[in-house]
Amino acid sequence: MEKVGIGIIGCGNISGAYLKAMAGFDILDIRGVADLNQAAAEAKAAEFSVPVSTIDTLMADPKVEIILNLTIPRAHVEVGLKALAAGKHAYSEKPLGINFAEGKKLAEAAENAGLRIGAAPDTFLGGGHQTARKVVDSGALGLAVGGTASFMRPGHESWHPNPDFYYDIGGGPMLDMGPYYITDLVNLFGPVRKVAGFATMLRKERTITSEPRRGETISVKVPTHIAGVLSFENGAVVQVTMSFDVAGHKHLPIEVYGTEGTLLVPDPNFFKGPVSLLKKGGDFEDYPVDQPYADGNYRSIGLADMAYAIRNNRPHRANGELALHVLEVMEAFERAAETGRTVEISTSVRRPAPLSESLVNGVLGK
């Protein structure tokens, strides 16, 4: 099968994980890496033995079919629109955009151009989450009741070398971590119908405790603790908390409840993790994780799936419709907090097909 040319724009902290994982997918042909900071692009190219390029060169390269957009969230739509204008498909790091309006603009531009867009997270394609999906699809949980989704940490300034954008417009725990949790829930339950929520910003400044900027103070411009409820089209009701303000807790990342059982889902920030199932009247038991991509960091499998989808003329899983729906849901938490009202979600989306439908000899291959 002919490889798909990839041009990577953005050589920041996350790019290393992508470049490392991309080497495991034969369908991907890295045509070059580029960044506004040329030194960063050159360093990343040297580290992973890939070509260094410029943004304009990648946009003009006829062998580049997909632009992988690893820029900061505030630049995701801008770069995506440029890629579409250059005749390229566009796949970005999460979120699709920093608000629903600009995400919708990108989706409309892709539709008008007859091109694809996609976005992380793709962790829901990992073996742990695909196994959880298999349990849900089997009917073992009975009727969908609800669940909980919890991400609560003190904040990224304790580990990230440049945490400013986590607290700037387009940042915050919902736009940063919410995509993992809400995408995984949509993969399990389907689309969200309504959102209720509250949001707080307890501190206007944060002190960096990581190197090399330890001691510097950064401004906070977004809510840092968000809690609310998702009402799904299938009737499930899920409690959600995303926070950069909590010192510690004992909640599991995701629990899913049904009338006949309860499912403990792996951390959606990772591809792997244990799956546990309780059947009514029994105890929790480990459920065998029998789906591939459960033994490492495959952060680019969504891109590879998109490449195979292009070659095989099928829908890709980490697609624009899914990313736009998740973006609208995330924004709805803050809208609900501001208005004091439940927010109706205008978009809907089909659950992505199980990854098993595209496996060849146990790996993604069609």
Side-chain angles (χ1 to χ4, degrees):
M1 186 179 297
E2 182 184 1
K3 292 189 175 187
V4 174
I6 310 296
I8 301 174
I9 298 177
C11 295
N13 200 54
I14 195 63
S15 63
Y18 273 85
L19 284 161
K20 183 177 180 180
M22 288 172 71
F25 295 104
D26 293 339
I27 189 72
L28 303 177
D29 177 21
I30 301 173
R31 303 293 302 172
V33 296
D35 194 285
L36 288 175
N37 179 350
Q38 186 65 14
E42 290 173 355
K44 201 62 67 174
E47 181 182 356
F48 289 94
S49 300
V50 296
V52 66
S53 188
T54 67
I55 294 172
D56 289 343
T57 299
L58 291 177
M59 292 290 189
D61 185 349
K63 292 186 178 181
V64 170
E65 296 181 60
I66 304 174
I67 292 294
L68 173 58
N69 180 3
L70 302 181
T71 59
I72 62 173
R74 291 181 70 172
H76 284 178
V77 169
E78 177 186 357
V79 173
L81 288 171
K82 288 180 179 179
L84 294 173
K88 315 296 186 187
H89 306 287
Y91 185 97
S92 79
E93 174 56 7
K94 50 81 185 167
L96 182 67
I98 62 172
N99 59 59
F100 177 60
E102 71 166 22
K104 190 173 182 181
K105 181 179 179 181
L106 182 65
E108 290 173 348
E111 184 176 3
N112 291 336
L115 294 166
R116 298 174 185 248
I117 58 172
D122 54 3
T123 46
F124 74 94
L125 299 176
H129 302 282
Q130 288 294 302
T131 297
R133 166 70 179 267
K134 180 180 175 181
V135 173
V136 172
D137 289 353
S138 75
L141 300 185
L143 298 176
V145 174
T148 60
S150 304
F151 172 86
M152 294 179 279
R153 297 287 189 275
H156 290 338
E157 66 273 21
S158 64
W159 65 271
H160 198 283
N162 293 294
D164 309 60
F165 72 91
Y166 288 114
Y167 299 98
D168 200 353
I169 302 301
M174 183 56 74
L175 281 181
D176 177 44
M177 298 304 298
Y180 296 107
Y181 289 77
I182 296 172
T183 300
D184 209 21
L185 288 169
V186 172
N187 176 56
L188 297 173
F189 277 156
V192 176
R193 184 169 60 95
K194 295 180 181 180
V195 176
F198 298 88
T200 60
M201 184 176 71
L202 301 178
R203 291 168 282 178
K204 295 183 178 180
E205 293 183 338
R206 297 271 184 147
T207 300
I208 300 174
T209 58
S210 61
E211 300 298 344
R213 298 172 57 195
R214 178 183 293 271
E216 286 188 35
T217 299
I218 55 178
S219 298
V220 178
K221 301 177 182 177
V222 292
T224 51
H225 185 89
I226 300 169
V229 177
L230 302 177
S231 174
F232 286 79
E233 289 185 11
N234 72 348
V237 176
V238 177
Q239 303 170 58
V240 177
T241 305
M242 300 284 127
S243 182
F244 287 164
D245 289 321
V246 175
H249 66 91
K250 289 188 176 182
H251 294 281
L252 294 175
I254 296 179
E255 297 186 7
V256 173
Y257 311 137
T259 55
E260 302 301 316
T262 293
L263 185 67
L264 307 183
V265 181
D267 187 333
N269 193 28
F270 300 96
F271 293 84
K272 59 185 178 179
V275 176
S276 295
L277 175 64
L278 175 148
K279 294 182 179 179
K280 187 165 64 177
D283 297 319
F284 280 106
E285 296 183 3
D286 290 340
Y287 192 93
V289 175
D290 58 359
Q291 301 298 300
Y293 304 109
D295 58 347
N297 185 357
Y298 295 96
R299 205 168 295 257
S300 68
I301 191 173
L303 175 67
D305 179 66
M306 185 182 194
Y308 278 112
I310 291 170
R311 289 289 180 264
N312 290 281
N313 194 30
R314 63 163 175 82
H316 58 289
R317 293 172 172 85
N319 57 61
E321 291 83 1
L322 175 61
L324 184 64
H325 180 69
V326 169
L327 181 57
E328 183 183 13
V329 170
M330 294 189 296
E331 185 179 272
F333 280 92
E334 197 164 343
R335 286 176 55 205
E338 291 171 351
T339 63
R341 297 179 178 179
T342 299
V343 175
E344 297 268 358
I345 300 302
S346 65
T347 59
S348 188
V349 66
R350 291 184 178 182
R351 292 196 304 163
L355 190 66
S356 59
E357 294 182 6
S358 297
L359 299 180
V360 177
N361 297 323
V363 296
L364 182 61
K366 64 179 181 180

